[in-house]
Structures are given as C-alpha cells and as structure tokens.
Amino acid sequence: MGIVTADIAISLDGFAAGPDQSLEHPLGGGAADRLHAWMFEYADAHTAEIDAITAAGAYVMGRNMFGPVRHEWPAPGEPLGDWIGWWGDEPPYHAPVFVLTHYPRDPLELTGTTFHFVTDGIHSAVEQAREIAGDADVAIAGGAETLNQALWAGIVDELRLHVAPVTLGAGERVFDRVPSLELELLSERVTPEVAHLTYRVRR
C-alpha cells in the first residue's frame, strides 16, 4: 500500500491563497499567482517535483479547489450549472479525484479523470481513494483547509511544501488550528522560483 502525500504551494508567510478569491482570481488578487509560477512558467526546471505530484493513484481535494460553487450544486442552465472544475475537459490528474462536499452529486467523468463527491468526511474520502489507488500513493491535493483537516486527522504521511519567495499578508493559511507536528526533513531543493521542502510526518 502506498502512503498519503500532500503537496501545497505557499508563500513565505504561510498562505496557500490570498484574499479576495473570485471566479476570475481563484487564488485571490495581488501576488497570489506567483505561488505557482514555478509549475507553469518554469516547469522545465521543476520536472521532478511536478512528476511526483502527478504520480499518485488517487487524489483528495476540497470543494473550493474544485470550483467556486457554494451550497447546493446548481442545476443545468443555472449559473455555473455546467461547472466541471477549473481545468476544463482534461484535468491534469489522470486518476480518480475525491472531492469533499456537504452536497451530494453524481460522479463526473472527464478525460482521464473521474471526480467523486464525498459527503461523509475526509476519512471516508481517503479510504475510498486508497481502495482505488491500490499500491500507489494517495495525494491530498488541497487547498489549505483540506490539508489542515488531513494534518489534524493524522492522515498525512509525507508533506511537500513548495515555498514561493513572496508574502501575501492574508488569505488561507496552512497549519491554522493544526496541533503541534513533528516533521523530519527528507529532502530540500531551492531554485530562484521556489524552495521544495519534503517532510515525513512523525507519529
């Protein structure tokens, strides 16, 4: 059986998204886009880290990471009723994704990926992901609130922080309301765009 990993890009002051998130600016305004510049503008220099993110056999993410829809899922024809995620018809995961939500929804099948919507909590989502992933890893894909839930629940085995050289000052912070953790540094690599820090979560 694989392990449960978690990758998240954060600012130097610990935010995974800035304030004023919207449909046009899902990570918030200002410098928040710089959190992921290493993945998109400088991908060739960070292939090992990107490959590690996309190697999981299944993923777990929060509803906010899936999209901007809140409360009940809108019906077809209503605003955002045709929402299929930020990534369009071909999501980058190429494996099943389990989305945490309070509102039921039928699975959404797209090219290479099926989104399953889980209403009974993060433990259930991870167990379903483990069953499908088999011997491969299960990845907590974010955002900050979902990662914090997973850390609180003691689910994460390996935490991979990608620290961008920017501060946001406000937004969604990693480790908020998370009990004290003991982390063992497994690897580090620093480029001008980001510091990649991989930790084992000790129990």
Side-chain angles (χ1 to χ4, degrees), residues 81-183:
D82 58 351
W83 186 261
I84 58 172
W86 296 109
W87 312 274
D89 293 333
E90 297 187 30
Y93 299 100
H94 305 292
V97 178
F98 295 82
V99 180
L100 300 173
T101 177
H102 294 295
Y103 301 94
R105 178 176 173 174
D106 291 336
L108 174 64
E109 296 186 20
L110 300 173
T111 303
T113 300
T114 298
F115 290 95
H116 304 270
F117 299 90
V118 181
T119 59
D120 51 350
I122 194 164
H123 288 283
S124 175
V126 170
E127 286 307 310
Q128 292 180 59
R130 280 189 182 278
E131 185 174 347
I132 283 185
D135 292 334
D137 293 344
V138 169
I140 306 296
E145 177 62 28
T146 298
L147 173 56
N148 289 344
Q149 285 185 45
L151 291 171
W152 181 281
I155 289 171
V156 178
D157 298 305
E158 187 171 289
L159 176 61
R160 305 168 184 164
L161 300 177
H162 308 282
V163 186
V166 61
T167 61
L168 300 182
E172 295 186 24
R173 190 192 294 271
V174 176
F175 304 122
D176 265 0
R177 303 178 304 282
V178 174
S180 176
L181 300 171
E182 184 178 355
L183 304 175

Side-chain angles (χ1 to χ4, degrees), residues 2-91:
I3 63 173
V4 176
T5 66
D7 283 87
I8 196 159
I10 63 172
S11 63
L12 284 169
D13 51 350
F15 292 101
D20 304 320
Q21 296 176 58
S22 66
L23 182 62
E24 293 76 20
H25 302 285
L27 291 177
D33 289 345
R34 289 179 57 193
L35 295 178
H36 297 92
W38 63 274
M39 290 187 74
F40 301 111
E41 297 177 34
Y42 304 95
D44 289 347
H46 302 93
T47 54
E49 290 80 12
I50 295 170
D51 287 348
I53 293 171
T54 57
Y59 297 83
V60 174
M61 70 171 56
R63 179 167 173 172
N64 290 2
M65 185 164 175
F66 177 74
V69 179
R70 306 293 181 264
H71 309 297
E72 293 282 356
W73 297 99
E78 295 180 352
L80 298 178
D82 58 351
W83 186 261
I84 58 172
W86 296 109
W87 312 274
D89 293 333
E90 297 187 30

